[in-house]
Amino acid sequence: LTGCKFHPVQNCVHRGLRHRWHRVAMAGATYSLYEVAFTAAALSGSSVAWISYGHIGLIIALTCVVGLSALGDVLEVLRGSGCRPAADRGPKDAPASAWPAEPELPPQWYVGMLAIQGAGMAAQLLFGLTVMSGMLLSFVFGGCGVCLHLRYYSGNYSDNARTLPPVLSIVAIIFAMVMTAPSDGRGYTSMGVHDKWGAMALLFFAGLFGAAGAQAFCWYMGVAPRDLKETNPFAGLGSSP
């Protein structure tokens, strides 16, 4: 719970273990164990779903990963994002380069991301509007998520890029879902699209608009990267996926 404080000894052990076990070294770079596990599970699970059930399997896989993202956003809203005490943000005694910390975002960010994610999944699950669904989700993950990670996490661009695998894995599933849908079906024709290249272009532009929207929001709300002395091995799940 927000505001809870561990006993000093317990807090020291908890932070030490968290710092030690939630980072793994791969090819000379440091990655969060969460990042690796989530990315591997998302890509392998969606691949199995596609092999087993085709396009429907990818819809199911995307529903699962977006559901996890939405759950993370809900938790951020419930515990009051931006109001967490410094003690809850991760080990302060870790080196500044150990792991980029996510910025403190206002609740409006998470509410907005929840609304767009919900609209995107509803477009696919309730109405079969595949391209529209892909555009909305690309706006969130391919645009807002990538922009947030690269520009507002506490490291440099190279360090911040190491936090991207979960976001990019969701983007890959979004593109795969749209590309495997029948181009002569309602999911395409409802947007006036009749081929795969047209659908891909719309997803790409939706991501660009998402990045621009995220940048404008952060400028307006005064969001800034955290002090480099504060690091957090837990990169946000959600859209700050």
Side-chain angles (χ1 to χ4, degrees), residues 174-202:
I174 294 169
F175 271 74
M177 181 196 73
V178 174
M179 292 299 102
T180 57
S183 58
D184 57 350
R186 182 184 180 187
Y188 273 60
T189 58
S190 61
M191 293 296 295
V193 179
H194 301 282
D195 58 70
K196 307 293 184 181
W197 289 107
M200 185 176 294
L202 288 178

Side-chain angles (χ1 to χ4, degrees), residues 35-218:
E35 309 285 346
V36 175
F38 181 91
T39 302
L43 293 179
S44 60
S46 59
S47 297
V48 170
W50 174 64
I51 294 171
S52 302
Y53 303 105
H55 175 65
I56 299 299
L58 288 173
I59 294 175
I60 296 172
L62 185 61
T63 302
C64 292
V65 294
V66 173
L68 286 174
S69 171
L71 177 61
D73 291 339
V74 169
L75 293 176
E76 290 289 349
V77 172
L78 291 179
R79 69 182 179 178
S81 180
C83 302
R84 284 176 287 172
D88 291 344
R89 296 175 187 169
K92 291 186 176 181
D93 54 345
S97 61
W99 191 252
E102 75 275 15
E104 288 290 351
L105 296 166
Q108 294 93 321
W109 170 274
Y110 295 101
V111 171
M113 294 300 102
L114 276 171
I116 301 174
Q117 289 175 78
M121 292 313 304
Q124 175 60 61
L125 298 176
L126 300 181
F127 305 106
L129 305 178
T130 305
V131 175
M132 173 62 75
S133 173
M135 290 176 64
L136 291 171
L137 296 176
S138 292
F139 181 95
V140 172
F141 295 100
C144 298
V146 171
C147 175
L148 188 74
H149 279 251
L150 287 179
R151 291 188 56 81
Y152 289 96
Y153 273 51
S154 62
N156 55 37
Y157 278 106
S158 177
D159 292 334
N160 291 345
R162 301 203 310 263
T163 70
L164 283 175
V167 178
L168 296 181
S169 67
I170 298 177
V171 173
I173 299 173
I174 294 169
F175 271 74
M177 181 196 73
V178 174
M179 292 299 102
T180 57
S183 58
D184 57 350
R186 182 184 180 187
Y188 273 60
T189 58
S190 61
M191 293 296 295
V193 179
H194 301 282
D195 58 70
K196 307 293 184 181
W197 289 107
M200 185 176 294
L202 288 178
L203 297 184
F204 178 75
F205 284 115
L208 290 180
F209 279 114
Q215 184 66 78
F217 177 90
C218 290

